Amino acid sequence: MTSRLQTFLRSSIGKKLLMALTGLSLIGFLVVHLAGNLTLFVDSDGSAMAAYAQKLADLGPLLWIAEAGLLLLFVVHIGLGMRAAMENRDARPSRYKDAAPKGGRSAASVTMIATGVVIGIFVVIHVIDFRLMKGLLAHPDPATLAKVVVARLSTPLGASIYFIAMIALGVHLWHAFQSALQTLGLRHPAYDACIRKTGAGLAVVVAGLFAAFPVLCLIYKGNWPWS
Amino acid sequence: MSAGHDDHGTGGLDLTLHIWRQESSEAEGRFETYPLHGVSPDMSFLEMLDVLNEQLTLEGRDPVAFDHDCREGICGSCGMMINGQAHGPERETATCQLHMRRFKSGDTIFIEPFRARAFPLLKDLVVDRSAFDRIIAKGGFISVNTGSARDANSLPAAKQDADLSMDAAACIGCGACVAACPNAAAMLFVGAKVSHLGLLPQGKPERSRRVLAMVAQMDAEGFGNCGNIYECEAACPKAISVENIARLNRDYLLASATERPSSAQGEGA
């Protein structure tokens, strides 16, 4: 039985399936992460975000398990992507003079590796910055947590890094959702348009809302006019 | 039909061809430039190359090697990259059915072979596509008893399945999908073959074994990985749908999970 799974996972289709499943799981994580982040905008004194952070911190060991799972998702997804990219380069040793698309590709579909690399670099910076160095979750102090986040995102450098990464995320997601479903074999003329629109909508909403953080922080410096 | 709008009334198009010339798989290749005058807009692309080759032969030079056979779009022999597009600019058209009226006098045309590790170059524009034959040999067949033909309609097939199967069967195995794919993947070809046979009752008995064997061979041939970019569908002269790739993914997953080892099938093989 083990060899059956090994054979599957070593095949090009098996690896793609794993790529799709880890990708969809990461989309799920993004949505939850986004929902948590939005607590920043609930009030100007940061107590909503602190309460959310406290809940996460209260999970104790469960949080570590979740984070370990998350790390595994990233490692598998990125590892498979890099490996596929290398295999694909080997599959065409000599290039065409000028390959001209005939209408199949999109800007998003042919830049998955590039946008993936940008997102990957951002994730490393982001985790070091917000998770490891500041230890925000360890001390969810209402007085400082939201302020630290706003301070980070309202510097031109911090905001630019965040904003550019979120654009890359949006482009990545534009292709990702429908591609994952295609890999899972979930395709039918009756649902094609719906799947494409869902993927595009997901990309715009998720990346758009994430990108709104640095923009709003730059403009309002944490004093939201609506709260 | 008018003889094209840009042929300067001299009875033909004047073209500059840049054609990939390579003596053998080991030799160094390069583009060579050939001016060609008075090309009839009613010629097919291959006939235009025939004219060039006549000219080269008369000059005592080596004619350009290219694959061709039926010249009516059904054999899958012809195939080259024309200005960076597999089979040229026309959609749903093989190179033999591409006509020179698609070009203008004064045009420069770059002609290259299909490029993929799994399609080693033999000479000039000719590549070895036996990788496809080896994939077919792994499962592109059905098992039937020989003897007299069965009664027509004795094996019921749903109209929808028959239609989808026929759509997939339109694949002529030309390799344009591999050539056009940025990753040189062969998933559209394999998807078409798996769908063509697996959807019909005659092909059902081997459906699981077929998909497992064909995918294993596809991977062994060194094709790239599918990135769902769908350039294959756009380049396919028969407009094979990428829905066949989804079916291939589905079938492969299912077969991987459910196919019994051959020793347990009691077939003694």
Side-chain angles (χ1 to χ4, degrees):
Chain A
M1 288 311 272
T2 341
S3 78
R4 171 180 300 236
L5 186 63
Q6 280 172 353
T7 308
F8 178 73
L9 292 179
R10 279 185 195 144
S11 73
S12 58
I13 295 181
K15 282 183 282 186
K16 274 289 293 176
L17 189 94
L18 208 52
M19 189 87 186
L21 290 176
T22 50
L24 286 176
S25 307
L26 288 169
I27 290 178
F29 160 71
L30 272 180
V31 171
V32 175
H33 186 10
L34 177 61
N37 282 13
L38 286 172
T39 56
L40 181 69
F41 297 132
V42 170
D43 45 39
S44 293
D45 68 357
S47 54
M49 181 165 251
Y52 168 63
Q54 186 62 54
K55 283 213 169 59
L56 280 184
D58 289 347
L59 290 172
L62 285 179
L63 185 66
W64 304 339
I65 294 170
E67 285 180 330
L70 196 55
L71 180 67
L72 187 67
L73 287 180
F74 271 108
V75 167
V76 171
H77 193 75
I78 293 169
L80 287 172
M82 291 298 167
R83 186 176 164 157
M86 285 189 283
E87 287 174 352
N88 295 343
R89 211 176 36 195
D90 286 349
R92 174 160 299 130
S94 48
R95 312 256 112 205
Y96 293 115
K97 190 188 165 288
D98 271 318
K102 227 165 170 176
R105 70 188 71 182
S106 69
S109 69
V110 292
T111 53
M112 288 302 273
I113 294 297
T115 51
V117 166
V118 171
I119 297 164
I121 292 171
F122 169 76
V123 167
V124 172
I125 295 173
H126 186 61
V127 167
I128 291 173
D129 198 23
F130 278 144
R131 181 72 185 97
L132 301 179
M133 274 167 55
K134 299 208 184 332
L136 293 179
L137 281 180
H139 315 284
D141 177 1
T144 59
L145 177 57
K147 283 192 174 56
V148 169
V149 173
V150 170
R152 179 52 95 217
L153 292 184
S154 47
T155 65
L157 180 67
S160 312
I161 291 175
Y162 203 95
F163 190 81
I164 291 166
M166 291 310 109
I167 299 299
L169 178 69
V171 175
H172 201 76
L173 289 181
W174 186 273
H175 177 68
F177 184 70
Q178 61 82 25
S179 176
L181 293 197
Q182 163 82 357
T183 297
L184 291 170
L186 301 174
R187 190 189 184 98
H188 188 285
Y191 309 117
D192 274 357
C194 176
I195 288 172
R196 278 188 179 279
K197 283 178 194 159
T198 306
L202 196 76
V204 170
V205 170
V206 170
L209 284 174
F210 271 123
F213 281 81
V215 174
L216 293 176
C217 286
L218 269 178
I219 297 172
Y220 297 114
K221 313 284 183 202
N223 300 311
W224 319 120
W226 54 82
S227 72
Chain B
M1 190 177 290
S2 82
H5 46 88
D6 256 335
D7 56 2
H8 298 182
T10 55
L13 314 174
D14 295 332
L15 303 169
T16 307
L17 306 173
H18 297 281
I19 303 180
W20 187 262
R21 302 305 304 266
Q22 189 170 336
E23 268 308 302
S24 65
S25 39
E26 293 82 29
E28 194 81 357
R30 78 263 159 220
F31 279 105
E32 282 190 8
T33 306
Y34 305 94
L36 197 59
H37 303 289
V39 174
S40 162
D42 294 329
M43 278 181 191
S44 74
F45 200 84
L46 297 186
E47 285 165 340
M48 182 273 292
L49 289 179
D50 290 339
V51 169
L52 172 71
N53 277 347
E54 283 289 326
Q55 210 170 289
L56 291 176
T57 309
L58 287 174
E59 290 166 9
R61 297 159 75 189
D62 194 25
V64 179
F66 64 91
D67 260 329
H68 61 104
D69 188 19
C70 77
R71 298 206 177 200
E72 52 188 16
I74 55 172
C75 76
S77 297
C78 64
M80 52 194 77
M81 294 302 271
I82 301 167
N83 286 338
Q85 296 184 311
H87 293 300
E90 205 83 72
R91 282 179 89 100
E92 294 184 40
T93 303
T95 306
C96 60
Q97 301 269 288
L98 173 67
H99 285 80
M100 296 314 294
R101 67 182 75 96
R102 192 68 170 72
F103 298 89
K104 298 194 303 291
S105 203
D107 273 0
T108 296
I109 307 175
F110 280 86
I111 308 170
E112 283 178 88
F114 284 175
R115 296 191 192 276
R117 181 181 292 281
F119 288 169
L121 190 141
L122 297 176
K123 189 178 182 196
D124 297 340
L125 304 175
V126 180
V127 295
D128 179 1
R129 286 166 288 182
S130 338
F132 274 9
D133 297 337
R134 289 188 289 272
I135 293 172
I136 287 289
K138 286 291 173 183
F141 51 81
I142 57 166
S143 300
V144 289
N145 290 323
T146 51
S148 55
R150 306 177 70 131
D151 273 353
N153 301 327
S154 66
L155 208 55
K159 173 82 168 83
Q160 175 182 292
D161 292 343
D163 286 349
L164 289 172
S165 170
M166 283 303 288
D167 287 349
C171 169
I172 53 177
C174 64
C177 45
V178 175
C181 174
N183 304 339
M187 292 281 281
L188 191 65
F189 169 77
V190 177
K193 298 306 167 191
V194 160
S195 299
H196 155 204
L197 296 165
L199 283 167
L200 290 180
Q202 292 91 334
K204 284 251 160 62
E206 288 101 352
R207 186 172 181 167
S208 287
R209 264 175 289 167
R210 176 182 304 119
V211 68
L212 294 176
M214 281 184 147
V215 168
Q217 189 62 36
M218 172 183 83
D219 288 349
E221 295 290 351
F223 290 104
N225 300 282
C226 177
N228 301 325
I229 293 167
Y230 310 142
E231 203 54 45
C232 51
E233 181 185 82
C236 177
K238 298 296 153 185
I240 304 291
S241 165
V242 291
E243 205 185 322
N244 291 294
I245 296 181
R247 187 176 297 106
L248 170 62
N249 291 332
R250 244 175 7 240
D251 277 14
Y252 186 74
L253 175 61
L254 201 65
S256 294
T258 60
E259 177 67 359
R260 290 160 188 269
S262 52
S263 60
Q265 287 171 352
E267 60 182 15

